[in-house]
Amino acid sequence: MIKIRTFLISLTLCLATTVNAQRHFYHRIDVGSSNIYTFVISNLITGYANYLTHDILFDNSYVYTIYGGKVDGESVNTQGLNPMGITASELFNDTFIGIKLGYKSNLMGAFNWGVYASGHYRVNQFKEKLATAEDYTKERFNYFKPGVGILLTFGGIESKVKVELEAAARYDIPVGYKGLWGSNSTNVLGEGISSHYSIKVGGYSWFSGGIFVDLCHYKPYNNTQNISSFKPYSFGVTFTITPKRGEDLYD
């Protein structure tokens, strides 16, 4: 009888420790695109995955990138791909996927905090026309982006509405390029730091949402023979379908 009681106590302590650890385990998969169809379909898929797991596994975003700067002192004209196009390039334009893993607090007070490590894969596709060119050339940047981030959530674990601020630094490593200066070559592209900032609002509801911006702090065309100040800047909205339950999932 004593052995059975000891076993039950040990099992209870083990389960309590596991649940507590899960409440402090921050985990998120980021999915994003600038194509309307891809955004809608991926939201349905990721929302259903969140519902089945009774957790926020996925954040889903619509992203739009603008490009600015000069090459050899001349402004570069750019065109984005059709956001409602159905070709492979258009469906997966401005696409990214990534994972965040880290620690989050679980306090009853006014705010919570967290830290995480991340890894993202990003594909930028667009058309550009240099001053000396007669027509537009399709460009594709492929980058792997490891990074770290911090979270501040205003609202305790029982708050009905929470506001989450996020800031992250990532180191962009080129893994593929196709365009005016070559094909399947990473030598053309430079590498460096980019930053990510977002604000999200969540609570006792079926969804949460926010806005974000990604800033590039280096010159992607830095390794060409041209003098370049050309940079991409991205911004967008995050809309996450979440399962409704008795506690806020954005803690």
Side-chain angles (χ1 to χ4, degrees), residues 84-153:
M84 300 188 69
I86 58 174
T87 66
S89 295
E90 292 165 334
L91 287 173
F92 297 101
N93 179 39
D94 243 5
T95 300
F96 65 83
I97 185 169
I99 186 169
K100 304 173 185 175
L101 300 174
Y103 172 88
K104 62 179 181 178
S105 65
N106 192 48
L107 304 174
M108 298 288 291
F111 73 95
N112 279 275
W113 62 275
V115 293
Y116 66 81
S118 65
H120 287 76
Y121 184 80
R122 180 74 182 268
V123 180
N124 288 108
Q125 298 184 88
F126 61 99
K127 296 178 181 180
E128 73 174 12
K129 179 178 177 293
L130 302 182
T132 57
E134 295 183 357
D135 203 356
Y136 283 87
T137 302
K138 184 178 176 182
E139 297 286 295
R140 186 185 71 205
F141 299 166
N142 299 58
Y143 274 92
F144 173 62
K145 301 167 173 270
V148 293
I150 59 174
L151 304 165
L152 284 178
T153 304

Side-chain angles (χ1 to χ4, degrees), residues 10-195:
S10 300
L11 180 60
T12 301
L13 291 174
C14 181
L15 291 175
T17 302
T18 301
V19 171
N20 185 62
Q22 288 178 342
R23 294 186 69 86
H24 289 286
F25 177 45
Y26 178 76
H27 52 283
R28 201 61 50 84
I29 299 175
D30 281 333
V31 179
S33 172
S34 69
N35 184 277
I36 298 296
Y37 301 127
T38 303
F39 174 67
V40 172
I41 293 173
S42 62
N43 242 313
L44 295 175
I45 295 173
T46 57
Y48 191 60
N50 289 339
Y51 172 78
L52 287 178
T53 58
H54 209 52
D55 193 6
I56 297 182
L57 291 180
F58 292 90
D59 272 336
N60 207 298
S61 299
Y62 182 84
V63 59
Y64 182 79
T65 301
I66 58 175
Y67 305 87
K70 297 181 178 181
V71 175
D72 284 343
E74 299 289 343
S75 296
V76 180
N77 295 321
T78 62
Q79 288 183 354
L81 301 188
N82 184 3
M84 300 188 69
I86 58 174
T87 66
S89 295
E90 292 165 334
L91 287 173
F92 297 101
N93 179 39
D94 243 5
T95 300
F96 65 83
I97 185 169
I99 186 169
K100 304 173 185 175
L101 300 174
Y103 172 88
K104 62 179 181 178
S105 65
N106 192 48
L107 304 174
M108 298 288 291
F111 73 95
N112 279 275
W113 62 275
V115 293
Y116 66 81
S118 65
H120 287 76
Y121 184 80
R122 180 74 182 268
V123 180
N124 288 108
Q125 298 184 88
F126 61 99
K127 296 178 181 180
E128 73 174 12
K129 179 178 177 293
L130 302 182
T132 57
E134 295 183 357
D135 203 356
Y136 283 87
T137 302
K138 184 178 176 182
E139 297 286 295
R140 186 185 71 205
F141 299 166
N142 299 58
Y143 274 92
F144 173 62
K145 301 167 173 270
V148 293
I150 59 174
L151 304 165
L152 284 178
T153 304
F154 295 89
I157 59 176
E158 293 185 348
S159 300
K160 291 186 177 181
V161 177
K162 300 180 186 180
V163 177
E164 181 185 87
L165 303 180
E166 178 182 1
R170 299 165 182 170
Y171 192 83
D172 298 358
I173 303 170
V175 294
Y177 169 78
K178 185 176 181 180
L180 182 62
W181 285 287
S183 177
N184 298 322
S185 172
T186 59
N187 297 328
V188 172
L189 297 179
E191 60 183 67
I193 298 293
S194 64
S195 56

Side-chain angles (χ1 to χ4, degrees), residues 196-212:
H196 170 84
Y197 307 95
S198 74
I199 178 170
K200 301 187 184 81
V201 178
Y204 293 88
S205 64
W206 286 100
F207 63 89
S208 57
I211 57 175
F212 69 90

